[in-house]
Amino acid sequence: MKGILFDLDGTLVDTLEDIRAALNHVMALCCCREISASECRAVVGNGLRKALIGALWYSRAAYPEDELDILYRELVDFYSANACVHSRVYDGIPQLLDEAKGMGCMLGVLSNKADSLVQEIIGRLLPGRFDFVRGLMEGERPKPDKKGVEDFIELCKATCEDVTMVGDSEVDWQTARNAGVRPLIVSYGYRSALDLVGQGIGPLASSVEELGRELWN
């Protein structure tokens, strides 16, 4: 294996409470109830804009369609200023990354979160560990589009067979399938094993330790 490409949220870092705080900041602006942790977990994975739409749906918020861009900008501004208040790297991830580096693997991050936020979170919580860090940039399609994976493969000077994509959701699994790389999905993140198995998704790793074992199988 020449390269491992990781999702960010729910895979490397538990960002849920910071995302929820940002979403609930917008809910307060709309005079709507806060969303719960389980509701937040259900709406993440497809980028902050879709998370916002999901949170507004859960809160039964009535808002003019032309105001969504305003609410999204408010969400991003608040989150940008508070991206690492509660977020934490999952136990065992630094050691897993060091092990992979020691075996000669190139490491990357590909997220549907805005690129500026991805760079901020990785730079603060896992600095200097990745050869490739990319979030969603203006004019690009989010995962499950395969372009980010293909760019990582090119950086690795590898083939599809030499790269594994690690994530925690159906979006990551489909992205890997679209790009023709090996998918490896964790169930310690924002989707339960029951949800993932129900969608025919696998193989699954229930812990960081199991993820390490599966990577080298």
Side-chain angles (χ1 to χ4, degrees):
M1 184 164 52
K2 292 185 177 180
I4 308 171
L5 185 60
F6 294 88
D7 173 51
L8 175 59
D9 303 279
T11 303
L12 294 170
V13 180
D14 183 356
T15 56
L16 193 72
E17 284 306 311
D18 285 329
I19 295 173
R20 188 161 80 100
L23 289 170
N24 282 334
H25 169 71
V26 176
M27 295 304 101
L29 293 178
C30 296
C31 299
C32 295
R33 72 162 179 86
E34 293 188 350
I35 63 166
S36 67
S38 62
E39 289 168 341
C40 185
R41 190 175 290 109
V43 301
V44 298
N46 280 291
L48 286 176
R49 190 181 187 89
K50 289 190 176 179
L52 172 60
I53 292 170
L56 290 166
W57 180 86
Y58 271 119
S59 290
R60 302 295 188 266
Y63 62 95
E65 190 65 29
D66 59 0
E67 289 187 5
L68 184 61
D69 286 343
I70 298 172
L71 296 177
Y72 175 67
R73 286 195 297 272
E74 183 67 32
L75 171 66
V76 171
D77 287 348
F78 183 92
Y79 189 31
S80 297
N82 301 276
C84 296
V85 176
H86 303 289
S87 294
R88 64 173 186 85
V89 178
Y90 287 109
D91 292 343
I93 286 293
Q95 294 82 0
L96 183 147
L97 298 176
D98 289 345
E99 181 182 3
K101 273 292 189 183
M103 298 179 74
C105 286
M106 296 192 75
L107 302 178
V109 176
L110 182 63
S111 173
N112 276 344
K113 194 190 298 287
D115 184 67
S116 59
L117 285 166
V118 175
Q119 301 294 339
E120 169 76 10
I121 293 168
I122 291 297
R124 290 183 64 177
L125 299 183
L126 289 167
R129 294 181 179 272
F130 295 96
D131 307 288
F132 176 99
V133 178
R134 182 178 297 178
L136 188 61
M137 294 188 285
E138 188 74 26
E140 290 198 347
R141 293 182 177 181
K143 297 182 294 184
D145 185 84
K146 64 182 179 179
K147 185 180 184 303
V149 186
E150 291 176 336
D151 289 347
F152 179 67
I153 293 170
E154 183 178 353
L155 178 68
C156 294
K157 296 180 171 58
T159 65
C160 297
E161 291 76 18
D162 296 321
V163 171
T164 295
M165 182 166 185
V166 180
D168 75 315
S169 74
E170 65 283 354
V171 176
D172 301 309
W173 184 80
Q174 189 59 57
T175 305
R177 301 262 295 188
N178 288 345
V181 301
R182 175 195 180 197
L184 184 49
I185 305 300
V186 303
S187 59
Y188 59 74
Y190 301 157
R191 301 289 188 271
S192 70
L194 186 61
D195 288 340
L196 294 165
V197 170
Q199 297 178 73
I201 292 173
L204 301 181
S206 62
S207 65
V208 174
E209 291 74 18
E210 188 174 347
L211 172 60
R213 291 193 295 271
E214 288 288 343
L215 278 171
W216 313 123
N217 279 346

